[in-house]
């Protein structure tokens, strides 16, 4: 008996230690000065900010399983390119993986270049980008210092009534995922992931705001008595807060572009998350398995090429040779030749939770295996095969998708739902919105195929 006891004590410890988690956030609001306008992103060109309504934040979470440490950060801006994510990584040490993402806020500064004084002038302020980079690094390092041994509970709740889908076919990714971390019975922080465009204040607003996200985070932090980090997931196809019927407590329907609606919607998301967390289940989030893959996607959108050539889109142009994973990637200056952008996919297995990291705004159809079948005969590529769905690759009890993850390449549209040329699908007389903000019809097949390979590679190990 005694011998067995000693054997048990001497049994090799698992390679992964206990989970540790830290949260931190930092104000990244741009200063409004008369001589350097802040161009607001997400709608038309030349929308200059007039004041700050509420602060923009970078919210960071650092998690470790004892052997590997990862950082996840989400910022209240429209989108951040892969080069920016790599710059942040180069300022950090000791991390196996760093995820830099944005909420896709349509009421903050231009961080991509597409919303300056005209479509051919970048709205990016390089000084602000440096400030943002330094502060994201600071938030991650602070979260790391605050990390403590933690336990986790997870809840998933569908919120179809708080989102609209404004593009046919109508498929929503409704699930909000919330994870509450505790240390010695005390709340450490809550990580929330949901799928919606922060654009409730709409196109006429000129006051800097985090849109509904700030209200969600504020209300949930109050209810849970801890910091909250919000992450954006599946927002293509198109998941929006516009036209969502939200009423005030007196039963009055609130209008888009009003603070009242933005606040009410944000608070309702928090109330739902808080309610779901009351029945959250314990979840094991160790050990970690982390994988990333760099891929090339052909630039097929002429509009993108035009603004790229004008220097509005600042990213490296690569030679496209029909291979999404070239052994030796070659850059090119000649934008008239077939070219590609370089981006990356991520796959994180954190114990019983799998996380897909997708570099843009993916359509829910591609996540949930609900691509239209049969295709509408008026589609541009009705015979295109259905892409392997992102969530079909994940086998863990819990799943999460982080969109605009380490890049923002625009909409990722199922190829057989691509509809730029007449006749148009569903008997429509005009094309639907989406394709103009997509790199091209081959983005979805490449991303879904490469994600499948990335997960398989992981499982074979
Ligand atoms: Zn968008």
């Amino acid at each position: 008996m005694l011998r067995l006891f000693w054997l048990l004590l001497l049994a090799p410890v698992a390679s992964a230690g206990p989970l540790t988690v830290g949260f931190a956030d930092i104000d990244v609001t741009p200063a409004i000065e008369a001589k350097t306008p802040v161009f607001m992103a997400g709608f038309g060109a030349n929308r200059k900010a007039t004041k700050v309504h509420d602060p923009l934040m970078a919210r960071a979470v650092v998690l470790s399983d004892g052997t590997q440490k990862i950082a996840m950060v989400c910022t209240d801006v429209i989108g951040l390119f892969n080069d920016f994510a790599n710059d942040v990584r180069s300022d950090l040490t000791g991390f196996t993986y760093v995820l830099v993402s944005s909420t896709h806020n349509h009421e903050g500064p231009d961080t991509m270049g597409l919303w300056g004084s005209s479509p051919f002038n970048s709205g990016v302020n390089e000084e602000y980008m440096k400030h943002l980079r330094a502060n994201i690094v600071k938030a991650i390092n602070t979260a790391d210092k605050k990390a403590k041994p933690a336990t986790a509970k997870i809840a998933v709740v569908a919120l179809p009534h708080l989102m609209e889908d404004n593009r046919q076919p109508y498929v929503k990714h409704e699930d909000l995922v919330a994870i509450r971390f505790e240390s010695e019975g005390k709340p450490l922080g809550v990580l929330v992931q949901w799928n919606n465009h922060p654009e409730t204040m709409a196109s006429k607003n000129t006051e800097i705001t985090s849109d509904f996200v700030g209200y969600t985070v504020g209300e949930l932090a109050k209810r849970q008595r801890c910091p909250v980090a919000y992450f954006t997931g599946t927002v293509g196809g198109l998941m929006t807060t516009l036209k969502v019927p939200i009423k005030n407590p007196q039963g009055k329907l609130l209008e888009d572009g009003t603070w009242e609606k933005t606040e009410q919607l944000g608070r309702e998301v928090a109330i739902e998350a808080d309610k779901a967390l009351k029945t959250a289940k314990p979840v094991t989030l160790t050990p970690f398995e982390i994988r990333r893959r760099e891929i090339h996607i052909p630039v097929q959108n002429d509009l993108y090429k035009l603004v790229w050539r004008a220097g509005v889109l600042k990213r490296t142009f690569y030679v496209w040779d029909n291979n999404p994973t070239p052994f030796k990637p070659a850059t090119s200056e000649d934008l008239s030749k077939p070219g590609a952008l370089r981006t990356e996919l991520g796959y994180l297995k954190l114990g019983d939770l799998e996380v897909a990291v997708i570099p843009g705004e993916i359509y829910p159809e591609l996540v949930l295996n609900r691509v239209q079948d049969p295709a509408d005969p008026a589609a541009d590529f009705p015979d295109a095969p259905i892409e392997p769905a992102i969530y079909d690759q994940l086998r863990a009890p819990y799943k999460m998708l982080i969109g605009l993850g380490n890049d923002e390449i625009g909409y990722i549209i199922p190829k057989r739902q691509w509809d730029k040329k007449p006749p148009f699908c569903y008997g429509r007389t005009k094309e639907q919105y989406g394709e103009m903000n997509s790199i091209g019809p081959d983005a979805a097949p490449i991303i879904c195929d490469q994600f499948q390979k990335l997960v398989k590679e992981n499982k074979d190990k």
Side-chain angles (χ1 to χ4, degrees), residues 78 104 106 197 199 235-236 238 361 408 411 433 437:
I78 190 82
H104 197 39
H106 281 44
H197 268 68
E199 60 178 355
V235 290
L238 305 168
E361 299 165 63
E408 158 60 329
Y411 289 122
Y433 171 74
N437 279 326

Side-chain angles (χ1 to χ4, degrees), residues 27 29-32 49-56 206-209 259:
D27 189 324
T29 316
I32 313 275
T50 51
K51 63 185 266 197
V52 173
H53 181 273
D54 53 85
L56 306 187
T206 59
E207 297 182 18
I208 296 279
T209 172
W259 297 110

